[in-house]
Every structure is written in C-alpha cells, then in structure tokens.
Amino acid sequence: MNEKIPAVVLGATGSVGQRFVQLLNEHPWFQVIALTGSQRSIGKPYRQVCHWTLAEPMPNWAGDMVVRPSTPAAASAPLAFSALPAAEALQIEPLFAKAGSAVCSNASAFRRQPDVPILLPEVNPRHAGLVAAQRKKRDWDGCIVTNPNCSSTGLTVVLKALQDAFGVRQAVVVTLQALSGAGYPGVASMDIQDNILPWIEGEEDKVEWEPRKMLGEIQGDKINLAELTLSAHTNRVPVSDGHTACLSVALNQPAQLTQVEQVLRNYQAPEISRNLPSAPQPVIHFDPRPDRPQPRLDRMCGRGMTTVVGRLRQDPLLSLKMVVLSHNTIRGAAGGAIYNAELLYQQGMIKR
Ligand code: NAP
C-alpha cells in the first residue's frame, strides 16, 4: 500500500481506546491522525489525560497529540474506530457515518439494529454485506459495523466451529470476566479484591443474543438468527485481562471427543479473512493440558487474537463441556475492530 488510510480513534483515552493506540502503532494499512475524548480531555495532550495502563510504552506520536472533540468537523477521516460508551456512541457514530467514515465500533449502541452487522471476520465476513442496505436506508456514504460484546467473542468462534461440523442446539455459559472489561477506573478495588461479583449490567442478554445474530444466515438485507438457545451467567473476577468462559453445549449429532478436538484445531477463517494483518494465527488454539487455559498464561496466544480452548470433556446433561479464553481488550475489543476494518478495506468498503 502506497499511502496508509487515515483513521481517528473516538474515546481514545479509555481502556479500549488506548489498546487501539497501541495496536495501531505501525499498522501496515492504517494511520492514526486524531484522538478524541470527552470535555475532561479536549484540548490537552493525550500524554497528560490518558491514564496509560498497558505494559507497552505509549507511542510518542500519540502522547504528543492534542485530544479533540468527537465531531467530524474536528476529527474527520475515512476510518473511525469507536471506543465510546454506548450512550455517546448512539449520538456520535451516525455523525461520522454521515460524514463518510467507516465506523468500526466496540459499543453496543447499534448491535441490535437489523442493518448493522456484528462482525467476527473468522466467523461471518459475509454479514458485511448488510452495509449496502444500511447505506441506502440511512442515506449515508459511510457505515457502522460493530464487534460483539467481549464475552461473546471467543464463545462465538467456538460455537461456529461446532455449528459447521455438528450443529449446535443449546449452550450454557458461565463467564469469569476480567477487570479491564469494565473500562477505567472500572470496578472499585474494595468491591473486587478477594471477591467475585455475580452481576454485570446488561451482559447476560448480550451473551444470549449476539452469538445468534453472528451465527445466523444473511439473506438479502437481513440476518435470520441462528436457532440456538443460550443461557448465560456473567461474573466479574479479579483478573486484569482475559475473559474465561465455562461452556456446555448440546450438539445436533453425536460426536467423539477426538473428533471435536480435531474440528477445533482445524477451524479456519473463511478465505477472505484468513490472511488479513490482524487475523488470528491460529484461529483456535487447543490446549490438552488439564489445567489450561488460564488468563495470565494464555491470553496473549496469537498476539491476543487467538481463542484458546481446553478442558474438553463429555457433559452429563448436554453433549460437551470445555473452557474458552479470549483476550477482552484485544480480540474482544480494539484488535477485533481493527480486524473488521481490514475486512472492510479488503472488500472495498472504506471510501478514501
Ligand atoms: P472507558 O475506559 O470508560 O473509556 C471511555 C472513553 O470514552 C474515554 O476515552 C472517554 O474520554 C470517552 N468519552 C466518554 N464520554 C464521552 C463523550 N461525551 N464524548 C467523547 N468521548 C467520551 O471504557 P472502555 O472500557 O474503553 O469501553 C469503551 C467502549 O467499548 C464501551 O462502549 C464498552 O462497552 C465497549 N467495550 C469494551 C470492552 C472492554 O474489554 N473494555 C470490550 C468490548 C467492548 P475521557 O477519558 O476524555 O472522559
């Protein structure tokens, strides 16, 4: 690529926003030209207002940038990565789409809209086909595409592999979700130290619905939800990064554990998504050790983009059970939105 595509990061100072900055540093296709924040940060250097919590150093180019308002007039680009809270995303993202930006959003604001895809390029790249109908219906040149809730991400990758091979009828999932999933400063330390919080507002509904949309079939300008019933319990645990999910599934046909292991190990992204710069390599890492996956040891598998699966065994109630791990701010958020943008670019959907 001769010239990189200019990109803005909306809500760049938060937990996901700074992940965008870190992952977009020296991205082969995209170049960050503006960072935005709330009134708290506007007009100040990013270095001063961003409480940087990542192990990798803040890139100098970002530290020197002055934080701008989240308006197309102040920060326009063909590509906008959004790490805004949902209420702000609802107002701000359409302004960018209207101004011609392809908005790759982490927020939940538009996920349930029938003309807005929830994309995982290794699962449902064809759902990007909704963008044409979205442009027509909403009369804008840009678009909004979303990535799923961070705890639906690894779960859906695994369900897709099983759905393709055996069919999936039901699933029960218990999540153990990391602190960074609550943003910064997130949960008070006095609440989470030596503790587990068995409630995350709105999360169970998302985990029970979003995979059905992603695993559904696109038909013309709509998606038929997958016929799959999910039951979710979602918990916040004192882990910094990496969401763990204990998953039990009922398959449509009997399967040996060795067959299932092979299906998971061999799962490949569809051709169009397989070799994009952020593509997970491999998509699923199967770990046969009895005490894995563990968030601290395994979350960076495949640069944080790979879904890690272990503890595969028979389930006495449903068919199978296993443990799934996915990095919530990388595969589940910023890395996922960047992978989506790469898919849109590959499909000619980003207007320079
Ligand atoms: P966060 O740490 O609270 O960061 C929120 C960001 O939004 C900050 O940069 C903040 O800027 C900015 N902001 C707040 N109000 C604004 C306004 N009125 N105008 C412009 N900017 C505003 O939250 P987060 O965890 O990064 O989450 C961001 C989004 O991603 C949320 O929608 C969340 O649900 C979603 N998500 C998060 C994860 C995760 O693992 N954390 C995973 C998937 C999806 P200031 O600092 O300047 O106030």
Side-chain angles (χ1 to χ4, degrees):
M1 184 178 291
N2 293 336
E3 246 178 72
K4 291 189 185 181
I5 295 163
V8 301
V9 180
L10 309 174
T13 53
S15 182
V16 175
Q18 57 189 270
R19 247 320 156 198
F20 272 122
V21 168
Q22 182 250 321
L23 292 173
L24 289 166
N25 188 33
E26 297 182 7
H27 189 279
W29 296 358
F30 310 139
Q31 174 145 24
V32 177
I33 56 152
L35 304 173
T36 82
S38 73
Q39 286 302 335
R40 182 187 77 81
S41 315
I42 291 168
K44 297 178 186 151
Y46 184 73
R47 174 176 293 111
Q48 184 186 324
V49 290
C50 176
H51 183 85
W52 188 263
T53 59
L54 303 179
E56 302 81 359
M58 178 190 288
N60 270 331
W61 57 261
D64 293 344
M65 277 185 181
V66 171
V67 175
R68 301 192 200 176
S70 302
T71 63
S76 138
L79 180 57
F81 292 108
S82 171
L84 293 168
E88 283 71 21
L90 193 62
Q91 307 300 323
I92 293 170
E93 290 176 0
L95 304 178
F96 279 83
K98 191 89 189 158
S101 304
V103 180
C104 294
S105 175
N106 283 285
S108 58
F110 290 93
R111 289 186 199 137
R112 286 198 181 232
Q113 295 290 317
D115 59 340
V116 175
I118 310 178
L119 286 179
L120 290 174
E122 68 272 59
V123 168
N124 63 342
R126 291 188 62 239
H127 289 200
L130 286 184
V131 164
Q134 183 193 115
R135 285 183 168 152
K136 204 163 151 203
K137 178 178 158 198
R138 299 184 189 247
D139 189 27
W140 56 36
D141 288 337
C143 62
I144 298 176
V145 304
T146 63
N147 42 267
N149 166 273
C150 41
S151 39
S152 303
T153 304
L155 170 69
T156 305
V157 171
V158 168
L159 290 175
K160 171 66 174 166
L162 298 175
Q163 183 193 45
D164 285 356
F166 312 108
V168 178
R169 199 168 65 248
Q170 294 171 321
V172 179
V173 61
V174 179
T175 70
L176 307 160
Q177 299 184 211
L179 294 171
S180 58
Y184 187 84
V187 184
S189 60
M190 287 295 284
D191 290 342
I192 196 70
Q193 186 73 20
D194 184 30
N195 210 5
I196 289 174
L197 302 176
W199 179 66
I200 303 173
E201 191 175 0
E203 198 80 348
E204 288 173 359
D205 283 349
K206 291 174 189 165
V207 177
E208 290 175 358
W209 188 82
E210 291 177 12
R212 298 185 60 216
K213 182 167 178 179
M214 290 181 277
L215 296 170
E217 280 294 323
I218 182 166
Q219 202 174 46
D221 58 3
K222 71 179 180 73
I223 287 166
N224 298 322
L225 298 185
E227 287 193 21
L228 156 70
T229 310
L230 282 149
S231 169
H233 303 255
T234 58
N235 303 283
R236 186 75 64 200
V237 298
V239 162
S240 60
D241 290 307
H243 287 354
T244 301
C246 298
L247 170 68
S248 291
V249 284
L251 303 177
N252 284 340
Q253 60 189 74
Q256 300 293 324
L257 291 181
T258 47
Q259 270 179 296
V260 176
E261 180 182 328
Q262 280 316 307
V263 160
L264 295 171
R265 282 185 190 277
N266 295 338
Y267 182 75
Q268 296 242 16
E271 185 76 40
I272 189 161
S273 316
R274 205 170 288 170
N275 295 311
L276 295 172
S278 300
Q281 309 287 358
V283 176
I284 295 172
H285 171 69
F286 184 87
D287 195 323
R289 287 173 286 184
D291 59 350
R292 304 296 270 271
Q294 296 179 22
R296 203 175 63 209
L297 301 181
D298 299 314
R299 61 194 166 208
M300 286 311 295
C301 185
R303 296 173 296 137
M305 291 296 284
T306 288
T307 298
V308 186
V309 180
R311 301 225 58 225
L312 176 65
R313 58 235 195 263
Q314 303 284 0
D315 185 299
L317 288 178
L318 305 180
S319 312
L320 307 165
K321 53 185 170 177
M322 67 197 80
V323 178
V324 179
L325 174 73
S326 175
H327 196 302
N328 56 298
T329 64
I330 301 182
R331 182 65 197 89
I338 295 168
Y339 193 16
N340 286 348
E342 293 164 358
L343 174 67
L344 293 186
Y345 179 72
Q346 185 86 342
Q347 295 181 320
M349 291 187 192
I350 299 180
K351 303 190 172 191
R352 275 175 180 267

